[in-house]
Amino acid sequence: MSHTTKVSHRRPVRLASGAAPTAPPRARRRPTSQQWAAWAFLTPVTLYLVLFYAYPLYRNIDLSLRNYTVRSFVQGDAPFTGLANYRNVLHDPTFAPALLHTVVFTSVCLVFQYAIGLALAVFFNQRFRLSATLRALFLVPWLLPLIVSASTWSWMLNSDSGVVNSALHAVGIGPVNWLTAPGWSLASVIIANIWIGVPFNLVVLHSGLQSIPASLYEAAALDGANAWQRFRRITFPLLRPVSAITLLLGLVYTLKVFDIIWIMTKGGPADSSTTFATWSYQLGFGNMLPAFGPGAAVGNLLVVAALVFGLVYIRVQRKQGLS
């Protein structure tokens, strides 16, 4: 008895003209130990940014787009109002003075903090005796809690018992109402904030000076360049990257200064020292009937301002890198 074996012949798959046969799908690669380690290091940072930056920013934006009251803030049923809070803020009589005070406060503080910090950094770069000790003492204003620094300046600038008016009286100058006169309140908080911010500029700029080769100064001295010419032609140009990041960080910090102003003047008298930071707090928490939405809107304006300056800094750095 013969057994015949049937062999099945599959017809070849016809492909369109010019089409190549598709390759079988590749098996997924399993993550390597280095990839797992990278994710392990990245996860805490991502969670931190999401929990403490992204989510609060989202809540603040949502707060500025709704009509929140104390009841709706607890129950969460605030109606959506769109950009109404921003329109109310822009048409508020306090907006223009607060904007002017914020610009003046930020600009004057940045200029004097950077100028004094740079001068001290160049001075301490001489590496004389007790240089490290004196430089450490200059860090005290930066290390003190802000409430201590602001309270100290409030006592020093007190109209009746302040040490500043006592010194002025000793040289024949009458007392100045530093904290209670509309013409002096903003200047008082500016002076206090400059004193607090100078050490930060000193530390960062001094570290930048350490990276400049000493051979450049020696060559310039052999060519007959004086101290001012060495600073203008060597120190200042080579310090530009460090100066840029110092000014950017100082700008972001100064825009959101609240503690110093609130402790010393509370934005007064008659809103003469009110900035966006103190105004946002007053709207949200400084009244019996808090306006959470407008307060959040003012805070978001500060965030946008800091973001714009940050993007400008990145763009400038990118152009310098390409050139």
Side-chain angles (χ1 to χ4, degrees):
M1 183 176 181
S2 62
H3 298 278
T4 58
T5 306
K6 295 182 179 180
V7 180
S8 61
H9 297 280
R10 295 182 179 179
R11 294 182 179 180
V13 180
R14 294 183 179 180
L15 300 176
S17 59
T22 58
R26 295 182 179 179
R28 290 185 177 180
R29 293 183 179 180
R30 293 184 177 181
T32 62
S33 58
Q34 293 181 350
Q35 291 175 337
W36 282 115
W39 280 108
F41 280 106
L42 189 61
T43 300
V45 178
T46 304
L47 291 176
Y48 175 79
L49 292 176
V50 170
L51 293 176
F52 295 99
Y53 285 90
Y55 179 73
L57 182 60
Y58 160 74
R59 288 292 299 157
N60 202 56
I61 294 175
D62 180 72
L63 197 66
S64 66
L65 299 177
R66 297 181 180 274
N67 184 20
Y68 274 96
T69 61
V70 176
R71 183 187 62 82
S72 61
F73 189 82
V74 176
Q75 297 180 355
D77 57 349
F80 181 80
T81 58
L83 299 178
N85 289 323
Y86 291 92
R87 287 194 295 268
N88 294 335
V89 165
L90 293 176
H91 291 90
D92 194 290
T94 311
F95 176 79
L99 176 61
L100 177 62
H101 298 157
T102 303
V103 172
V104 172
F105 179 83
T106 305
S107 304
V108 175
C109 287
L110 277 182
V111 170
F112 279 92
Q113 286 174 354
Y114 177 79
I116 298 174
L118 180 58
L120 291 175
V122 173
F123 174 73
F124 285 116
N125 198 40
Q126 305 297 323
R127 297 179 182 178
F128 55 90
R129 194 175 182 181
L130 298 179
S131 174
T133 303
L134 293 176
R135 194 167 67 248
L137 291 177
F138 270 97
L139 295 179
V140 172
W142 191 33
L143 299 176
L144 287 175
L146 290 178
I147 188 172
V148 175
S149 302
S151 301
T152 303
W153 276 99
S154 296
W155 167 75
M156 292 173 59
L157 297 177
N158 186 275
S159 302
D160 300 323
S161 58
V163 64
V164 175
N165 277 347
S166 299
L168 294 177
H169 179 73
V171 296
I173 301 177
V176 177
N177 297 322
W178 296 97
L179 304 177
T180 57
W184 286 103
S185 58
L186 185 61
S188 302
V189 296
I190 288 176
I191 293 172
N193 192 65
I194 291 174
W195 180 78
I196 294 171
V198 164
F200 171 77
N201 288 260
L202 167 62
V203 171
V204 178
L205 295 174
H206 185 267
S207 64
L209 290 175
Q210 299 298 310
S211 63
I212 300 177
S215 58
L216 296 178
Y217 295 103
E218 295 173 358
L222 292 176
D223 291 339
N226 55 30
W228 170 247
Q229 291 174 335
R230 292 196 298 269
F231 173 81
R232 187 166 61 91
R233 298 296 179 88
I234 299 176
T235 303
F236 195 72
L238 295 181
L239 207 61
R240 283 179 182 173
V242 180
S243 299
I245 190 63
T246 303
L247 291 173
L248 176 64
L249 294 177
L251 173 68
V252 174
Y253 167 78
T254 310
L255 276 175
K256 64 183 183 63
V257 167
F258 166 77
D259 315 67
I260 303 299
I261 302 175
W262 190 257
I263 293 173
M264 293 181 63
T265 64
K266 288 185 172 55
D271 294 333
S272 59
S273 59
T274 296
T275 61
F276 276 176
T278 58
W279 188 30
S280 176
Y281 179 83
Q282 287 176 341
L283 290 172
F285 304 99
N287 301 314
M288 294 297 295
L289 295 175
F292 295 116
V298 176
N300 288 332
L301 293 178
L302 286 176
V303 174
V304 170
L307 181 62
V308 168
F309 284 107
L311 293 176
V312 170
Y313 167 77
I314 294 174
R315 186 176 180 84
V316 171
Q317 290 296 103
R318 185 176 299 175
K319 285 186 176 181
Q320 291 180 353
L322 293 176
S323 61

